[in-house]
Amino acid sequence: MARRTKRLWTVEEKRSICLQTTAPGVSVAQVARRYALNANLVFKWLRDPRFAPDPDAAPAESPCFLPVEIVERPVQEVAPAAGDARGPDGGTIEIDVAGGHRMRISGRYDPEVLARLIRGLSR
């Protein structure tokens, strides 16, 4: 039988985990799952004034639009290699998802399938 070791969380880690529970649309259970914790432990930390996020503190920055620059690229008339899914409108997208996951999508993709995959990884 394997011996279980108790995970010791630093004060900063506890504060960070507790702060993540205040994000809109995020439940304590979701945050607990990200860190392989029991939700009751996170609730216990939230009751402790050392770790509980300040209710009066506003988020550092509110969501906003970011500037985007569209640059025209020269069209390459080279046919894609056999087995290469990249078409003339293909490109590369890199997405950082909650929980430390990073996705890199190259070529054509189905937006609905990509959305389901992102939702699955965000849990």
Side-chain angles (χ1 to χ4, degrees):
M1 187 162 148
R3 184 171 179 204
R4 225 182 247 184
T5 59
K6 183 177 178 180
R7 170 73 165 98
L8 300 177
W9 298 92
T10 66
V11 171
E12 287 306 313
E13 288 173 322
K14 291 177 185 179
R15 283 187 188 136
S16 172
I17 291 169
C18 289
L19 183 63
Q20 291 176 38
T21 64
T22 63
V26 176
S27 71
V28 172
Q30 288 173 326
V31 174
R33 269 186 256 133
R34 271 185 219 149
Y35 295 95
L37 287 169
N38 187 309
N40 290 326
L41 181 58
V42 178
F43 279 116
K44 179 180 175 184
W45 293 345
L46 286 168
R47 285 191 303 270
D48 190 329
R50 293 176 297 167
F51 313 125
D54 185 11
D56 298 330
E61 292 184 25
S62 59
C64 63
F65 289 103
L66 298 175
V68 175
E69 183 179 348
I70 299 175
V71 180
E72 192 171 325
R73 291 184 9 197
V75 177
Q76 296 179 352
E77 302 272 337
V78 179
D84 186 6
R86 185 179 289 212
D89 59 351
T92 301
I93 299 174
E94 191 168 306
I95 303 171
D96 290 327
V97 185
H101 299 284
R102 177 175 287 165
M103 294 175 37
R104 183 175 292 139
I105 298 100
S106 297
R108 296 181 183 176
Y109 60 91
D110 181 356
E112 298 215 4
V113 172
L114 180 60
R116 283 197 310 259
L117 181 61
I118 291 172
R119 278 193 298 272
L121 289 174
S122 296
R123 292 183 184 170

PDB file of all heavy atoms in Angstrom, residues 67-98:
ATOM      1  N   PRO A  67      -5.547  46.124 -27.998  1.00  0.00           N
ATOM      2  CA  PRO A  67      -5.325  46.550 -29.379  1.00  0.00           C
ATOM      3  C   PRO A  67      -4.864  45.374 -30.241  1.00  0.00           C
ATOM      4  O   PRO A  67      -4.091  44.535 -29.803  1.00  0.00           O
ATOM      5  CB  PRO A  67      -4.212  47.602 -29.254  1.00  0.00           C
ATOM      6  CG  PRO A  67      -3.554  47.311 -27.953  1.00  0.00           C
ATOM      7  CD  PRO A  67      -4.586  46.698 -27.067  1.00  0.00           C
ATOM      8  N   VAL A  68      -5.362  45.345 -31.447  1.00  0.00           N
ATOM      9  CA  VAL A  68      -5.008  44.292 -32.393  1.00  0.00           C
ATOM     10  C   VAL A  68      -4.575  44.959 -33.688  1.00  0.00           C
ATOM     11  O   VAL A  68      -5.202  45.902 -34.153  1.00  0.00           O
ATOM     12  CB  VAL A  68      -6.207  43.364 -32.666  1.00  0.00           C
ATOM     13  CG1 VAL A  68      -5.885  42.348 -33.749  1.00  0.00           C
ATOM     14  CG2 VAL A  68      -6.642  42.679 -31.399  1.00  0.00           C
ATOM     15  N   GLU A  69      -3.511  44.458 -34.252  1.00  0.00           N
ATOM     16  CA  GLU A  69      -3.032  44.984 -35.527  1.00  0.00           C
ATOM     17  C   GLU A  69      -3.098  43.865 -36.550  1.00  0.00           C
ATOM     18  O   GLU A  69      -2.571  42.777 -36.335  1.00  0.00           O
ATOM     19  CB  GLU A  69      -1.594  45.473 -35.380  1.00  0.00           C
ATOM     20  CG  GLU A  69      -1.033  46.092 -36.624  1.00  0.00           C
ATOM     21  CD  GLU A  69       0.391  46.577 -36.431  1.00  0.00           C
ATOM     22  OE1 GLU A  69       0.861  46.634 -35.280  1.00  0.00           O
ATOM     23  OE2 GLU A  69       1.022  46.879 -37.437  1.00  0.00           O
ATOM     24  N   ILE A  70      -3.769  44.131 -37.652  1.00  0.00           N
ATOM     25  CA  ILE A  70      -3.872  43.149 -38.724  1.00  0.00           C
ATOM     26  C   ILE A  70      -2.843  43.517 -39.780  1.00  0.00           C
ATOM     27  O   ILE A  70      -2.859  44.619 -40.319  1.00  0.00           O
ATOM     28  CB  ILE A  70      -5.286  43.126 -39.316  1.00  0.00           C
ATOM     29  CG1 ILE A  70      -6.288  42.746 -38.219  1.00  0.00           C
ATOM     30  CG2 ILE A  70      -5.356  42.172 -40.501  1.00  0.00           C
ATOM     31  CD1 ILE A  70      -7.717  42.811 -38.641  1.00  0.00           C
ATOM     32  N   VAL A  71      -1.955  42.581 -40.046  1.00  0.00           N
ATOM     33  CA  VAL A  71      -0.874  42.812 -40.989  1.00  0.00           C
ATOM     34  C   VAL A  71      -1.103  41.935 -42.210  1.00  0.00           C
ATOM     35  O   VAL A  71      -1.334  40.731 -42.080  1.00  0.00           O
ATOM     36  CB  VAL A  71       0.495  42.490 -40.345  1.00  0.00           C
ATOM     37  CG1 VAL A  71       1.624  42.728 -41.315  1.00  0.00           C
ATOM     38  CG2 VAL A  71       0.679  43.296 -39.074  1.00  0.00           C
ATOM     39  N   GLU A  72      -1.046  42.518 -43.360  1.00  0.00           N
ATOM     40  CA  GLU A  72      -1.245  41.759 -44.587  1.00  0.00           C
ATOM     41  C   GLU A  72      -0.007  40.921 -44.877  1.00  0.00           C
ATOM     42  O   GLU A  72       1.120  41.425 -44.832  1.00  0.00           O
ATOM     43  CB  GLU A  72      -1.511  42.710 -45.744  1.00  0.00           C
ATOM     44  CG  GLU A  72      -2.014  41.997 -46.970  1.00  0.00           C
ATOM     45  CD  GLU A  72      -2.480  42.981 -48.018  1.00  0.00           C
ATOM     46  OE1 GLU A  72      -3.020  44.027 -47.651  1.00  0.00           O
ATOM     47  OE2 GLU A  72      -2.274  42.670 -49.190  1.00  0.00           O
ATOM     48  N   ARG A  73      -0.226  39.651 -45.119  1.00  0.00           N
ATOM     49  CA  ARG A  73       0.882  38.747 -45.438  1.00  0.00           C
ATOM     50  C   ARG A  73       0.823  38.394 -46.909  1.00  0.00           C
ATOM     51  O   ARG A  73      -0.261  38.255 -47.466  1.00  0.00           O
ATOM     52  CB  ARG A  73       0.786  37.475 -44.607  1.00  0.00           C
ATOM     53  CG  ARG A  73       1.046  37.705 -43.152  1.00  0.00           C
ATOM     54  CD  ARG A  73       1.047  36.469 -42.310  1.00  0.00           C
ATOM     55  NE  ARG A  73       0.991  35.204 -43.017  1.00  0.00           N
ATOM     56  CZ  ARG A  73       0.657  34.062 -42.456  1.00  0.00           C
ATOM     57  NH1 ARG A  73       0.342  34.034 -41.194  1.00  0.00           N
ATOM     58  NH2 ARG A  73       0.634  32.950 -43.134  1.00  0.00           N
ATOM     59  N   PRO A  74       1.963  38.191 -47.535  1.00  0.00           N
ATOM     60  CA  PRO A  74       1.933  37.766 -48.938  1.00  0.00           C
ATOM     61  C   PRO A  74       1.347  36.363 -49.048  1.00  0.00           C
ATOM     62  O   PRO A  74       1.589  35.505 -48.210  1.00  0.00           O
ATOM     63  CB  PRO A  74       3.399  37.784 -49.354  1.00  0.00           C
ATOM     64  CG  PRO A  74       4.174  37.766 -48.093  1.00  0.00           C
ATOM     65  CD  PRO A  74       3.297  38.350 -47.033  1.00  0.00           C
ATOM     66  N   VAL A  75       0.538  36.157 -50.071  1.00  0.00           N
ATOM     67  CA  VAL A  75      -0.097  34.863 -50.291  1.00  0.00           C
ATOM     68  C   VAL A  75       0.909  33.939 -50.946  1.00  0.00           C
ATOM     69  O   VAL A  75       1.549  34.289 -51.930  1.00  0.00           O
ATOM     70  CB  VAL A  75      -1.342  35.018 -51.196  1.00  0.00           C
ATOM     71  CG1 VAL A  75      -1.962  33.659 -51.482  1.00  0.00           C
ATOM     72  CG2 VAL A  75      -2.329  35.952 -50.552  1.00  0.00           C
ATOM     73  N   GLN A  76       1.063  32.751 -50.389  1.00  0.00           N
ATOM     74  CA  GLN A  76       1.975  31.764 -50.961  1.00  0.00           C
ATOM     75  C   GLN A  76       1.155  30.812 -51.818  1.00  0.00           C
ATOM     76  O   GLN A  76       0.146  30.279 -51.377  1.00  0.00           O
ATOM     77  CB  GLN A  76       2.701  31.003 -49.860  1.00  0.00           C
ATOM     78  CG  GLN A  76       3.599  31.886 -49.030  1.00  0.00           C
ATOM     79  CD  GLN A  76       4.277  31.091 -47.924  1.00  0.00           C
ATOM     80  OE1 GLN A  76       3.973  29.938 -47.701  1.00  0.00           O
ATOM     81  NE2 GLN A  76       5.192  31.749 -47.243  1.00  0.00           N
ATOM     82  N   GLU A  77       1.593  30.587 -53.005  1.00  0.00           N
ATOM     83  CA  GLU A  77       0.876  29.739 -53.954  1.00  0.00           C
ATOM     84  C   GLU A  77       1.330  28.290 -53.877  1.00  0.00           C
ATOM     85  O   GLU A  77       1.144  27.542 -54.804  1.00  0.00           O
ATOM     86  CB  GLU A  77       1.075  30.275 -55.380  1.00  0.00           C
ATOM     87  CG  GLU A  77       0.619  31.695 -55.567  1.00  0.00           C
ATOM     88  CD  GLU A  77      -0.849  31.792 -55.941  1.00  0.00           C
ATOM     89  OE1 GLU A  77      -1.377  30.803 -56.464  1.00  0.00           O
ATOM     90  OE2 GLU A  77      -1.434  32.835 -55.699  1.00  0.00           O
ATOM     91  N   VAL A  78       1.938  27.888 -52.778  1.00  0.00           N
ATOM     92  CA  VAL A  78       2.451  26.536 -52.637  1.00  0.00           C
ATOM     93  C   VAL A  78       1.325  25.647 -52.131  1.00  0.00           C
ATOM     94  O   VAL A  78       0.656  25.968 -51.159  1.00  0.00           O
ATOM     95  CB  VAL A  78       3.641  26.506 -51.645  1.00  0.00           C
ATOM     96  CG1 VAL A  78       4.151  25.096 -51.470  1.00  0.00           C
ATOM     97  CG2 VAL A  78       4.717  27.453 -52.102  1.00  0.00           C
ATOM     98  N   ALA A  79       1.126  24.511 -52.795  1.00  0.00           N
ATOM     99  CA  ALA A  79       0.096  23.561 -52.372  1.00  0.00           C
ATOM    100  C   ALA A  79       0.560  22.881 -51.095  1.00  0.00           C
ATOM    101  O   ALA A  79       1.738  22.578 -50.926  1.00  0.00           O
ATOM    102  CB  ALA A  79      -0.134  22.528 -53.471  1.00  0.00           C
ATOM    103  N   PRO A  80      -0.356  22.633 -50.143  1.00  0.00           N
ATOM    104  CA  PRO A  80       0.032  21.952 -48.918  1.00  0.00           C
ATOM    105  C   PRO A  80       0.487  20.526 -49.192  1.00  0.00           C
ATOM    106  O   PRO A  80       0.004  19.882 -50.113  1.00  0.00           O
ATOM    107  CB  PRO A  80      -1.242  21.968 -48.065  1.00  0.00           C
ATOM    108  CG  PRO A  80      -2.358  22.287 -48.987  1.00  0.00           C
ATOM    109  CD  PRO A  80      -1.772  22.973 -50.188  1.00  0.00           C
ATOM    110  N   ALA A  81       1.422  20.064 -48.385  1.00  0.00           N
ATOM    111  CA  ALA A  81       1.940  18.702 -48.532  1.00  0.00           C
ATOM    112  C   ALA A  81       0.843  17.707 -48.185  1.00  0.00           C
ATOM    113  O   ALA A  81      -0.080  18.013 -47.441  1.00  0.00           O
ATOM    114  CB  ALA A  81       3.147  18.508 -47.619  1.00  0.00           C
ATOM    115  N   ALA A  82       0.951  16.503 -48.712  1.00  0.00           N
ATOM    116  CA  ALA A  82      -0.036  15.460 -48.416  1.00  0.00           C
ATOM    117  C   ALA A  82      -0.034  15.197 -46.921  1.00  0.00           C
ATOM    118  O   ALA A  82       0.999  15.080 -46.295  1.00  0.00           O
ATOM    119  CB  ALA A  82       0.309  14.196 -49.185  1.00  0.00           C
ATOM    120  N   GLY A  83      -1.225  15.122 -46.338  1.00  0.00           N
ATOM    121  CA  GLY A  83      -1.335  14.869 -44.906  1.00  0.00           C
ATOM    122  C   GLY A  83      -1.263  16.142 -44.079  1.00  0.00           C
ATOM    123  O   GLY A  83      -1.463  16.116 -42.883  1.00  0.00           O
ATOM    124  N   ASP A  84      -0.984  17.293 -44.694  1.00  0.00           N
ATOM    125  CA  ASP A  84      -0.920  18.561 -43.972  1.00  0.00           C
ATOM    126  C   ASP A  84      -2.308  19.189 -44.005  1.00  0.00           C
ATOM    127  O   ASP A  84      -2.834  19.471 -45.067  1.00  0.00           O
ATOM    128  CB  ASP A  84       0.103  19.493 -44.623  1.00  0.00           C
ATOM    129  CG  ASP A  84       0.324  20.768 -43.829  1.00  0.00           C
ATOM    130  OD1 ASP A  84      -0.242  20.870 -42.722  1.00  0.00           O
ATOM    131  OD2 ASP A  84       1.054  21.653 -44.310  1.00  0.00           O
ATOM    132  N   ALA A  85      -2.905  19.409 -42.840  1.00  0.00           N
ATOM    133  CA  ALA A  85      -4.259  19.952 -42.763  1.00  0.00           C
ATOM    134  C   ALA A  85      -4.277  21.458 -42.993  1.00  0.00           C
ATOM    135  O   ALA A  85      -5.324  22.048 -43.103  1.00  0.00           O
ATOM    136  CB  ALA A  85      -4.858  19.629 -41.394  1.00  0.00           C
ATOM    137  N   ARG A  86      -3.128  22.075 -43.026  1.00  0.00           N
ATOM    138  CA  ARG A  86      -3.061  23.523 -43.153  1.00  0.00           C
ATOM    139  C   ARG A  86      -3.473  23.927 -44.569  1.00  0.00           C
ATOM    140  O   ARG A  86      -2.936  23.462 -45.544  1.00  0.00           O
ATOM    141  CB  ARG A  86      -1.642  23.989 -42.871  1.00  0.00           C
ATOM    142  CG  ARG A  86      -1.508  25.489 -42.852  1.00  0.00           C
ATOM    143  CD  ARG A  86      -0.097  25.834 -42.541  1.00  0.00           C
ATOM    144  NE  ARG A  86       0.145  25.502 -41.157  1.00  0.00           N
ATOM    145  CZ  ARG A  86       0.971  26.157 -40.387  1.00  0.00           C
ATOM    146  NH1 ARG A  86       1.656  27.150 -40.854  1.00  0.00           N
ATOM    147  NH2 ARG A  86       1.145  25.819 -39.148  1.00  0.00           N
ATOM    148  N   GLY A  87      -4.448  24.769 -44.657  1.00  0.00           N
ATOM    149  CA  GLY A  87      -4.921  25.247 -45.948  1.00  0.00           C
ATOM    150  C   GLY A  87      -4.543  26.699 -46.117  1.00  0.00           C
ATOM    151  O   GLY A  87      -3.817  27.270 -45.303  1.00  0.00           O
ATOM    152  N   PRO A  88      -5.043  27.349 -47.174  1.00  0.00           N
ATOM    153  CA  PRO A  88      -4.694  28.738 -47.403  1.00  0.00           C
ATOM    154  C   PRO A  88      -5.164  29.652 -46.284  1.00  0.00           C
ATOM    155  O   PRO A  88      -4.562  30.678 -46.031  1.00  0.00           O
ATOM    156  CB  PRO A  88      -5.384  29.066 -48.724  1.00  0.00           C
ATOM    157  CG  PRO A  88      -6.389  27.998 -48.942  1.00  0.00           C
ATOM    158  CD  PRO A  88      -5.918  26.800 -48.185  1.00  0.00           C
ATOM    159  N   ASP A  89      -6.262  29.277 -45.587  1.00  0.00           N
ATOM    160  CA  ASP A  89      -6.722  30.117 -44.491  1.00  0.00           C
ATOM    161  C   ASP A  89      -6.285  29.566 -43.129  1.00  0.00           C
ATOM    162  O   ASP A  89      -6.729  30.030 -42.103  1.00  0.00           O
ATOM    163  CB  ASP A  89      -8.243  30.273 -44.533  1.00  0.00           C
ATOM    164  CG  ASP A  89      -8.965  28.940 -44.450  1.00  0.00           C
ATOM    165  OD1 ASP A  89      -8.296  27.893 -44.525  1.00  0.00           O
ATOM    166  OD2 ASP A  89     -10.184  28.938 -44.314  1.00  0.00           O
ATOM    167  N   GLY A  90      -5.423  28.577 -43.129  1.00  0.00           N
ATOM    168  CA  GLY A  90      -4.935  27.990 -41.880  1.00  0.00           C
ATOM    169  C   GLY A  90      -3.888  28.885 -41.246  1.00  0.00           C
ATOM    170  O   GLY A  90      -3.291  29.736 -41.876  1.00  0.00           O
ATOM    171  N   GLY A  91      -3.661  28.712 -39.992  1.00  0.00           N
ATOM    172  CA  GLY A  91      -2.681  29.486 -39.250  1.00  0.00           C
ATOM    173  C   GLY A  91      -2.377  28.762 -37.957  1.00  0.00           C
ATOM    174  O   GLY A  91      -2.635  27.575 -37.824  1.00  0.00           O
ATOM    175  N   THR A  92      -1.852  29.475 -37.010  1.00  0.00           N
ATOM    176  CA  THR A  92      -1.551  28.887 -35.709  1.00  0.00           C
ATOM    177  C   THR A  92      -2.185  29.730 -34.615  1.00  0.00           C
ATOM    178  O   THR A  92      -2.080  30.948 -34.633  1.00  0.00           O
ATOM    179  CB  THR A  92      -0.034  28.811 -35.477  1.00  0.00           C
ATOM    180  OG1 THR A  92       0.533  28.024 -36.526  1.00  0.00           O
ATOM    181  CG2 THR A  92       0.296  28.171 -34.142  1.00  0.00           C
ATOM    182  N   ILE A  93      -2.845  29.072 -33.678  1.00  0.00           N
ATOM    183  CA  ILE A  93      -3.440  29.722 -32.521  1.00  0.00           C
ATOM    184  C   ILE A  93      -2.830  29.077 -31.287  1.00  0.00           C
ATOM    185  O   ILE A  93      -2.717  27.855 -31.212  1.00  0.00           O
ATOM    186  CB  ILE A  93      -4.965  29.517 -32.477  1.00  0.00           C
ATOM    187  CG1 ILE A  93      -5.619  30.114 -33.704  1.00  0.00           C
ATOM    188  CG2 ILE A  93      -5.553  30.113 -31.211  1.00  0.00           C
ATOM    189  CD1 ILE A  93      -7.100  29.813 -33.787  1.00  0.00           C
ATOM    190  N   GLU A  94      -2.436  29.884 -30.316  1.00  0.00           N
ATOM    191  CA  GLU A  94      -1.930  29.368 -29.054  1.00  0.00           C
ATOM    192  C   GLU A  94      -2.801  29.922 -27.941  1.00  0.00           C
ATOM    193  O   GLU A  94      -3.018  31.126 -27.853  1.00  0.00           O
ATOM    194  CB  GLU A  94      -0.479  29.793 -28.856  1.00  0.00           C
ATOM    195  CG  GLU A  94       0.170  29.062 -27.709  1.00  0.00           C
ATOM    196  CD  GLU A  94       1.672  29.258 -27.696  1.00  0.00           C
ATOM    197  OE1 GLU A  94       2.311  28.980 -28.721  1.00  0.00           O
ATOM    198  OE2 GLU A  94       2.164  29.697 -26.652  1.00  0.00           O
ATOM    199  N   ILE A  95      -3.331  29.031 -27.091  1.00  0.00           N
ATOM    200  CA  ILE A  95      -4.263  29.419 -26.040  1.00  0.00           C
ATOM    201  C   ILE A  95      -3.763  28.883 -24.714  1.00  0.00           C
ATOM    202  O   ILE A  95      -3.485  27.692 -24.588  1.00  0.00           O
ATOM    203  CB  ILE A  95      -5.678  28.857 -26.320  1.00  0.00           C
ATOM    204  CG1 ILE A  95      -6.175  29.323 -27.685  1.00  0.00           C
ATOM    205  CG2 ILE A  95      -6.642  29.253 -25.215  1.00  0.00           C
ATOM    206  CD1 ILE A  95      -7.436  28.648 -28.134  1.00  0.00           C
ATOM    207  N   ASP A  96      -3.662  29.760 -23.693  1.00  0.00           N
ATOM    208  CA  ASP A  96      -3.352  29.342 -22.328  1.00  0.00           C
ATOM    209  C   ASP A  96      -4.677  29.162 -21.610  1.00  0.00           C
ATOM    210  O   ASP A  96      -5.481  30.086 -21.523  1.00  0.00           O
ATOM    211  CB  ASP A  96      -2.500  30.386 -21.611  1.00  0.00           C
ATOM    212  CG  ASP A  96      -1.094  30.454 -22.171  1.00  0.00           C
ATOM    213  OD1 ASP A  96      -0.592  29.413 -22.599  1.00  0.00           O
ATOM    214  OD2 ASP A  96      -0.512  31.545 -22.186  1.00  0.00           O
ATOM    215  N   VAL A  97      -4.907  27.959 -21.082  1.00  0.00           N
ATOM    216  CA  VAL A  97      -6.151  27.615 -20.428  1.00  0.00           C
ATOM    217  C   VAL A  97      -5.883  27.491 -18.934  1.00  0.00           C
ATOM    218  O   VAL A  97      -4.765  27.195 -18.516  1.00  0.00           O
ATOM    219  CB  VAL A  97      -6.710  26.280 -20.998  1.00  0.00           C
ATOM    220  CG1 VAL A  97      -8.060  25.960 -20.422  1.00  0.00           C
ATOM    221  CG2 VAL A  97      -6.795  26.346 -22.506  1.00  0.00           C
ATOM    222  N   ALA A  98      -6.916  27.694 -18.129  1.00  0.00           N
ATOM    223  CA  ALA A  98      -6.783  27.566 -16.680  1.00  0.00           C
ATOM    224  C   ALA A  98      -6.180  26.217 -16.310  1.00  0.00           C
ATOM    225  O   ALA A  98      -6.369  25.226 -17.004  1.00  0.00           O
ATOM    226  CB  ALA A  98      -8.150  27.712 -16.011  1.00  0.00           C
TER     227      ALA A  98
END
